[in-house]
């Protein structure tokens, strides 16, 4: 007799669990595509309003010159990508950009720095940015690399809502992608963020030449964080020439949708974010991701340093899908 489908019991799937095994996640991920997307959409509707998509906007507050060697990233000082490095941005400039993002419909402003870790001397400027952006009525998010004891608490006191720190890929593939820090370093910072009471934004990148097993491994690790990250960005690799991962085998679009749908099912209350890589996706592929439970996107014509769809292309996507912005 065939075993029961791992997707049969939607009510059970919609109850968060933290003990997913890799085999269980693989069974979800590898299910027939239509069953997977249908189950993901059904789980989504239990905890989220289908048809609502939250808009965040990114700003690179400190670009390039990073000492880390993340193989996907054009901001590493080790790769020749032609990116111009810059110093930490002035607080007033950040606030101006945040105002424009708010006018464009973003409700969260995510500030990213090409740092290995946050230095104490930069904290006052970073905290002033958080305070200023928060005062505009926007949600605040920062991604600044690793945090030491006490730093997360100080960011929280300034008004930080979310901290983004990605696991990026499976623990096994991690060391092929980044050699200058460990998986355990990542987990440690995530623990500090959580303990300080900041919401966790943690996800990964798909399309880096990883195997389907690596994608399942990443998703299993994300779902074993207890509580689950409130926000789970699923990025499609943006290939930048000069980085070691440029030239990676292109990913089948439906495999990207599988990753989104699996994240949706195994972390049912989290907001799954269709993050980097939309510029290279058709409208139809983005629509499938949204049907599979993606509830957030980045808007604005630039992510941190690479292009993102135009405001008019996104307006068309929302209009044609009948989506409401949140
Ligand atoms: N330096 C900090 C760090 O790495 O934690 C914060 C900024 S870093 C640019 C934030 C995240 O962006 C990375 O963890 C990675 O997941 C994502 N990212 C960077 N370059 C990317 C690319 N080319 N394509 C897709 N995602 C990318
Ligand atoms: C995340 O997971 N995706 C965003 C945000 N966190 C910081 C960053 C994507 C960066 C894409 C490459 C770039 O534009 O530099
Ligand atoms: Fe530096 Fe972050 Fe890019 Fe890695 S992903 S090289 S840590 S900016």
């Amino acid at each position: 007799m065939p075993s029961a489908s791992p997707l049969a019991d939607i009510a059970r799937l919609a109850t968060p669990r933290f003990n997913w095994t890799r085999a269980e996640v693989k069974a979800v991920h590898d299910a027939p595509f239509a069953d997977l997307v249908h189950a993901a959409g059904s789980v989504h509707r239990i905890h989220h309003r289908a048809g609502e998509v939250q808009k965040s906007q990114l700003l690179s507050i400190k670009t390039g010159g990073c000492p880390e060697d993340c193989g996907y990233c054009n901001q590493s000082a080790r790769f020749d990508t032609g990116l111009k490095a810059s110093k930490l941005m002035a607080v007033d400039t950040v606030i101006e950009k945040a105002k424009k993002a708010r006018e464009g419909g973003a409700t969260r402003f995510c500030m990213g720095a090409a740092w290995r870790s946050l230095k104490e001397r930069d904290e006052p400027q970073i905290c002033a940015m958080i305070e200023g952006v928060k005062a505009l009525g926007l949600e605040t998010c920062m991604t600044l690399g690793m945090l030491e004891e006490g730093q997360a608490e100080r960011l929280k006191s300034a008004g930080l809502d979310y901290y983004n720190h990605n696991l990026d890929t499976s623990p096994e593939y991690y060391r092929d992608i980044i050699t200058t820090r460990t998986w355990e370093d990542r987990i440690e910072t995530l623990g500090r963020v959580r303990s300080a009471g900041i919401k966790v934004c943690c996800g990964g990148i798909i399309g880096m030449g990883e195997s389907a097993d690596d994608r399942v491994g990443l998703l299993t690790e994300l779902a074993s964080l207890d509580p689950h990250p409130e926000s789970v960005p699923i990025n499609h690799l943006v290939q930048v020439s000069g980085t070691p991962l440029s030239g990676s085998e292109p990913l089948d679009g439906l495999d990207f949708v599988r990753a989104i749908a699996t994240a949706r099912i195994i972390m049912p209350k989290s907001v799954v974010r269709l993050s980097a890589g939309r510029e290279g996706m058709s409208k139809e592929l983005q629509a499938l991701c949204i049907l599979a439970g993606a509830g957030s996107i980045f808007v604005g014509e630039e992510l941190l340093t690479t292009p993102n769809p135009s405001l008019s292309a996104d307006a068309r996507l929302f209009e044609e899908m009948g989506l409401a912005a949140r």
Side-chain angles (χ1 to χ4, degrees):
M1 205 171 82
S3 55
S5 161
L7 303 174
D9 189 343
I10 297 295
R12 188 166 157 269
L13 287 173
T15 309
R17 284 170 55 191
F18 306 93
N19 61 350
W20 283 94
T21 65
R22 218 158 149 150
E24 286 174 317
V25 175
K26 181 173 162 52
V28 170
H29 178 273
D30 293 353
F33 186 79
D35 293 346
L36 175 62
V37 172
H38 177 71
S42 307
V43 168
H44 187 64
R45 283 160 190 263
I46 293 178
H47 296 294
H48 308 264
R49 272 197 248 272
E52 271 191 13
V53 174
Q54 188 272 336
K55 293 177 172 178
S56 297
Q57 188 150 342
L58 280 162
L59 176 67
S60 180
I61 56 170
K62 196 271 162 204
T63 302
C66 182
E68 301 280 71
D69 70 352
C70 312
Y72 46 77
C73 186
N74 60 339
Q75 301 207 64
S76 166
R78 297 164 191 245
F79 316 137
D80 188 7
T81 61
L83 183 74
K84 195 170 167 299
S86 65
K87 291 199 305 198
L88 184 58
M89 202 176 261
V91 176
D92 290 353
T93 315
V94 174
I95 308 301
E96 278 316 304
K97 303 253 187 200
K99 275 188 194 149
K100 290 219 172 72
R102 188 182 60 179
E103 283 160 20
T107 56
R108 189 182 308 166
F109 196 61
C110 306
M111 295 157 271
W115 285 331
R116 170 175 165 81
S117 55
L118 171 61
K119 296 204 171 57
E120 221 173 299
R121 62 161 192 256
D122 292 319
E123 280 185 33
Q125 200 167 330
I126 292 292
C127 288
M129 291 176 191
I130 296 170
E131 283 159 14
V133 172
K134 184 94 180 155
L136 298 175
L138 287 162
E139 288 187 310
T140 54
C141 178
M142 284 270 174
T143 181
L144 312 167
M146 291 181 274
L147 299 178
E148 288 302 333
E149 214 51 60
Q151 291 188 307
E153 284 74 11
R154 294 194 283 278
L155 298 177
K156 168 79 182 167
S157 302
L160 189 65
D161 296 306
Y162 290 84
Y163 195 81
N164 167 246
H165 203 62
N166 290 337
L167 289 178
D168 281 339
T169 190
S170 68
E172 311 87 88
Y173 197 48
Y174 198 83
R175 58 188 75 93
D176 288 357
I177 302 292
I178 302 154
T179 71
T180 49
R181 58 166 190 261
T182 62
W183 175 272
E184 289 69 33
D185 290 332
R186 273 333 239 192
I187 298 289
E188 197 171 65
T189 290
L190 287 167
R192 291 187 171 139
V193 171
R194 183 54 85 198
S195 307
I198 300 170
K199 288 180 215 150
V200 173
C201 175
C202 181
I205 310 178
I206 309 291
M208 298 195 291
E210 75 285 343
S211 64
D213 239 33
D214 288 314
R215 294 196 277 278
V216 166
L218 164 70
L219 292 161
T220 310
E221 294 292 335
L222 291 170
S224 73
L225 298 172
D226 182 4
H228 290 153
E230 282 78 4
S231 195
V232 181
I234 304 292
N235 296 280
H236 188 296
L237 174 69
V238 179
Q239 295 201 10
V240 182
S241 79
T243 60
L245 289 177
S246 116
S248 297
E249 184 73 20
L251 185 78
D252 186 296
L254 297 194
D255 286 338
F256 186 78
V257 180
R258 280 188 184 278
I260 296 257
T262 306
R264 163 68 303 141
I265 291 169
I266 66 177
M267 293 168 280
K269 291 192 174 180
S270 306
V271 173
V272 177
R273 318 179 72 199
L274 166 56
S275 299
R278 288 197 301 118
E279 177 67 354
M281 289 178 198
S282 67
K283 186 178 68 181
E284 292 79 4
L285 179 53
Q286 295 180 61
L288 262 180
C289 291
I290 290 166
L291 290 178
S296 169
I297 57 168
F298 285 117
V299 294
E301 298 188 357
E302 199 173 30
L303 291 163
L304 289 172
T305 65
T306 65
N308 197 43
S310 66
L311 289 177
S312 59
D314 281 344
R316 207 157 51 240
L317 178 70
F318 273 61
E319 166 78 27
E320 290 178 14
M321 283 191 77
L323 298 174
R326 187 165 66 78

